[in-house]
Amino acid sequence: MYMLVYNTEVVIPTEVEISSLRVIQEDKLDDAEWIRVRQEQLVLIDEKIMDVVCHGQLYQNRMDSAFNKKVKPRQFIPGKFVLKKIFPHQEEAKGKFAPSWQGPYVVHRVLSGGAQILAEMDGRINTKPINSNAIKRYYV
């Protein structure tokens, strides 16, 4: 339809930016010139990709530092008293007015990655480790 009205073929803007075979034939470029232009376009695309990747990494680092600015690391030392959170799927969870922490427990051993093995006050040691975000310090 466009050919009938304007007597020319339609060229999409991307075909002008990244030369297609039709645009090359219209411009009458020789093979060596086309290869050189194509090589420059590919190098430019690689540079743009690297810029985007670097920008993404810088943005991620800024977001990490902004978030970690307010994070206070909690370190638990063996022998300290802690309370353990009661999760909703445990049978100790009785409802909305029931306590949400149980204990006190004694930190028996600190594992890597923030996990602890707790011992009860009478000396029995729990075999399952618990994550440090599910316990809090108990002050006597």
Side-chain angles (χ1 to χ4, degrees), residues 59-122:
Y59 175 76
Q60 197 71 36
N61 289 340
R62 282 196 313 266
M63 294 304 290
D64 284 346
S65 65
F67 176 76
N68 291 335
K69 195 181 334 180
K70 295 182 181 181
V71 174
K72 295 179 183 174
R74 296 188 298 168
Q75 296 176 349
F76 296 99
I77 302 167
K80 295 290 184 178
F81 295 114
V82 294
L83 296 175
K84 184 170 76 167
K85 186 175 181 73
I86 299 174
F87 292 105
H89 65 277
Q90 292 175 318
E91 62 267 355
E92 290 90 4
K94 302 276 191 242
K96 127 170 144 176
F97 296 112
S100 56
W101 298 91
Q102 63 182 195
Y105 292 96
V106 178
V107 176
H108 177 69
R109 209 168 87 198
V110 178
L111 303 175
S112 64
Q116 281 84 24
I117 294 180
L118 303 180
E120 295 190 24
M121 295 300 288
D122 58 2

Side-chain angles (χ1 to χ4, degrees), residues 2 17 23 39 43 50-51 60 84 94 109-110 128 131:
Y2 192 84
E17 180 109 6
V23 173
Q39 186 80 22
V43 167
M50 288 304 294
D51 287 344
Q60 197 71 36
K84 184 170 76 167
K94 302 276 191 242
R109 209 168 87 198
V110 178
K128 290 176 62 176
N131 200 345

Side-chain angles (χ1 to χ4, degrees), residues 36-54:
R36 188 188 60 76
V37 169
R38 190 69 172 169
Q39 186 80 22
E40 289 174 2
Q41 289 173 348
L42 292 175
V43 167
L44 185 64
I45 289 172
D46 288 341
E47 288 176 3
K48 286 182 180 180
I49 289 173
M50 288 304 294
D51 287 344
V52 168
V53 167
C54 290

Side-chain angles (χ1 to χ4, degrees), residues 10-47:
V10 177
V11 178
I12 302 172
T14 55
E15 284 185 299
V16 175
E17 180 109 6
I18 301 172
S19 301
S20 66
L21 185 60
R22 182 170 59 167
V23 173
I24 291 168
Q25 288 173 348
E26 287 177 7
D27 289 343
K28 307 270 193 287
L29 292 176
D30 61 338
D31 289 340
E33 180 69 18
W34 180 80
I35 290 172
R36 188 188 60 76
V37 169
R38 190 69 172 169
Q39 186 80 22
E40 289 174 2
Q41 289 173 348
L42 292 175
V43 167
L44 185 64
I45 289 172
D46 288 341
E47 288 176 3

